[in-house]
């Protein structure tokens, strides 16, 4: 590894709403000059094995996932994302929870499509499901159908308030965030709150909640992320410092579903080593 390793701890493949397959993702990570990449698909570990099998020489792979969570401290409850690293992919309770969330995503996707169709918008659920190709289905897949139908031209536009951002947005049945942190730790994993201050995505949670999560096992906060303004990044760093949490930075790469590039934001080696040291699930970081 070079003196200053390049570490990107948040990326998506076709196992969820990215556009590169897991094997293509790790190859692209190596080509981008990364030393470490984490695969963190939404609510699934399905990309781990194909990413591992294709791991290029010199690249280390952190196996992870991004869990769809919810905080029930406000009405309506606030959706949030929890990154989980190096957990045991066979931990029964966590496996069951992920399967439940994936099923809830399908059910909610189908209901969103029904709302669109009721307004005369010609999108097809079977086609959208086929577009997800067995990966965790999400709004980006519905966005593609809106683009195909010529109703919007970009994914960003599809997430506008007239479409999937508000008018046709439905909640899904996520994991209670306290339960998620506990389940990830019980599975030997290391939980990091993804883009915790991304106000442009919707409502954010108060710092008090983050303190409460830190008290039950949250390990870190993602500070450097394209959805955080410089002020939001600084706030997250200060909060992490106060709570003794580690800080990460990452691209949240989604292939062509987003414009951000692999390695656009990175994590420093100390934070990465803390994650590895705390992991008890799949303990070793795989190296190609
Ligand atoms: P879902 O998980 O189905 O609720 O959809 C949320 C996903 O959509 C996120 O994980 C992002 O990948 C993507 N997303 C959210 N907001 C935007 C946006 N403004 N532009 C493009 N993609 C977005
Ligand atoms: Fe996503
Ligand atoms: Fe996220
Ligand atoms: Zn993500």
């Amino acid at each position: 590894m070079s003196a200053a390793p390049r570490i990107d701890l948040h990326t998506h493949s076709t196992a969820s709403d990215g556009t590169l397959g897991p094997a293509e993702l790790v190859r692209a990570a190596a080509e981008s000059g990364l030393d470490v990449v984490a695969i963190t698909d939404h609510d699934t570990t399905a990309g781990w094995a194909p990413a591992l099998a294709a791991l290029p020489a010199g690249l280390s792979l952190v196996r992870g996932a991004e869990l769809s969570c919810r905080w029930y401290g406000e009405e309506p409850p606030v959706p949030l994302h929890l990154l989980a690293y190096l957990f045991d992919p066979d931990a029964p309770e966590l496996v069951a929870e992920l399967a439940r969330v994936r099923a809830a995503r399908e059910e909610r996707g189908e209901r969103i499509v029904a709302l669109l169709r009721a307004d005369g918008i010609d999108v097809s659920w079977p086609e959208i499901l086929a577009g997800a190709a067995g990966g965790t289905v999400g709004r980006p897949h519905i966005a593609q159908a809106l683009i195909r139908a010529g109703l919007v031209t970009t994914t960003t536009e599809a997430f506008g308030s007239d479409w999937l951002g508000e008018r046709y947005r439905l909640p899904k049945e996520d994991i209670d965030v306290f339960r998620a942190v506990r389940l990830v730790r019980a599975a030997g994993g290391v939980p990091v709150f993804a883009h915790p201050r991304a106000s442009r995505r919707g409502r954010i949670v108060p710092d008090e909640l983050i303190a409460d999560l830190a008290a039950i096992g949250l390990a870190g906060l993602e500070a450097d992320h394209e959805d955080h303004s410089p002020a939001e990044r600084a706030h997250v760093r200060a909060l992490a410092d106060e709570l003794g949490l580690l800080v990460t930075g990452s691209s949240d790469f989604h292939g062509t579903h987003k414009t951000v590039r692999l390695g656009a934001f990175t994590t420093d080696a100390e934070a990465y080593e803390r994650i590895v040291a705390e992991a008890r699930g799949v303990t070793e970081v795989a190296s190609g």
Side-chain angles (χ1 to χ4, degrees), residues 40-209:
T40 53
D41 279 302
H42 297 286
D43 309 308
T44 184
T45 58
W48 289 14
L52 204 53
L55 201 56
L59 182 68
S60 294
L61 179 70
V62 175
R63 285 160 284 178
E66 186 175 24
L67 311 189
S68 301
C69 298
R70 212 156 276 256
W71 176 54
Y72 291 91
E74 261 177 29
E75 201 45 55
V78 185
L80 49 94
H81 287 170
L82 189 73
L83 292 159
Y85 298 112
L86 300 167
F87 57 88
D88 174 1
D90 298 318
E93 267 192 286
L94 187 55
V95 167
E97 221 31 5
L98 295 184
R100 184 189 62 73
V101 171
R102 289 195 305 271
R105 281 174 162 279
E106 293 200 9
E107 184 259 336
R108 168 253 214 169
E110 198 167 3
R111 282 191 293 127
I112 292 175
V113 166
L115 285 182
L116 287 162
R117 292 182 64 86
D119 285 347
I121 294 152
D122 187 21
V123 286
S124 139
W125 175 244
E127 201 177 295
I128 290 164
L129 202 53
T136 304
V137 72
R139 282 179 289 159
H141 299 109
I142 304 175
Q144 296 317 300
L146 295 175
I147 293 171
R148 283 195 298 270
L151 296 156
V152 296
T153 54
T154 62
T155 306
T156 308
E157 205 184 329
F159 273 87
S161 56
D162 289 344
W163 298 102
L164 304 172
E166 196 176 313
R167 179 152 182 201
Y168 297 100
R169 179 177 189 161
L170 289 178
K172 56 190 189 314
E173 280 168 47
D174 299 321
I175 314 173
D176 176 283
V177 65
F178 288 93
R179 176 166 162 78
V181 167
R182 291 197 180 96
L183 285 178
V184 169
R185 283 293 191 182
V190 182
V192 171
F193 196 148
H195 42 76
R197 295 290 286 191
S199 53
R200 68 185 64 158
R201 282 173 174 244
R203 285 178 303 148
I204 54 169
V205 300
D207 290 350
E208 292 69 37
L209 170 69

Side-chain angles (χ1 to χ4, degrees), residues 12 17 42 254:
H12 296 265
D17 56 5
H42 297 286
H254 278 71

